[in-house]
Amino acid sequence: MVNLGESNLQNYRTICYQRQGDKLSSPENCTLTIEFNHPENGLTWEIVACSGQRYYYRNNGKDIELWSHLAQQWFKVDQVDWFPGKEKVLCWDNFCAEWSELPLD
């Protein structure tokens, strides 16, 4: 299981989406917890959607990875990009979040 440390945490509220081709769907409120300088994982963030879905990501200085609860391991995110035509919506594969008020580094 991924554990975020108690120190160095910052919490934000944002809107999350599912990416379906060139469209964003299923907008919902999300809480984002970012931990800077995690001793093993570098920059780590947890996104909790109102639906109860939890997503764990990390940027360890090499790649951005997603934690798989099913496989109990990290997997590389294939595509990280800004959603076209939507200012400040950042996507990791098919999951996106508004990032206008959130720090990027």
Side-chain angles (χ1 to χ4, degrees):
M1 181 74 185
V2 175
N3 290 317
L4 296 178
E6 291 301 317
S7 63
N8 227 2
L9 295 180
Q10 294 186 19
N11 294 304
Y12 302 91
R13 293 190 184 273
T14 190
I15 306 293
C16 297
Y17 305 90
Q18 294 298 317
R19 181 182 206 160
Q20 296 179 329
D22 61 351
K23 294 188 168 123
L24 295 175
S25 66
S26 307
E28 61 181 315
N29 291 323
C30 294
T31 302
L32 175 74
T33 302
I34 298 176
E35 181 180 12
F36 297 92
N37 302 316
H38 184 281
E40 295 173 22
N41 298 325
L43 174 67
T44 304
W45 60 101
E46 172 190 36
I47 300 172
V48 180
C50 283
S51 64
Q53 288 284 90
R54 291 180 180 266
Y55 304 89
Y56 296 95
Y57 291 92
R58 73 177 181 183
N59 183 345
N60 59 10
K62 294 178 275 181
D63 297 307
I64 294 178
E65 297 175 315
L66 169 66
W67 177 256
S68 168
H69 297 286
L70 189 60
Q72 293 291 298
Q73 66 183 24
W74 293 100
F75 287 95
K76 183 179 176 205
V77 172
D78 292 324
Q79 181 179 359
V80 178
D81 63 343
W82 295 101
F83 191 83
K86 289 282 191 181
E87 188 174 330
K88 301 278 187 166
V89 173
L90 187 61
C91 299
W92 306 274
D93 290 337
N94 293 323
F95 181 80
C96 303
E98 288 187 12
W99 210 264
S100 57
E101 304 298 322
L102 307 175
L104 288 173
D105 48 34

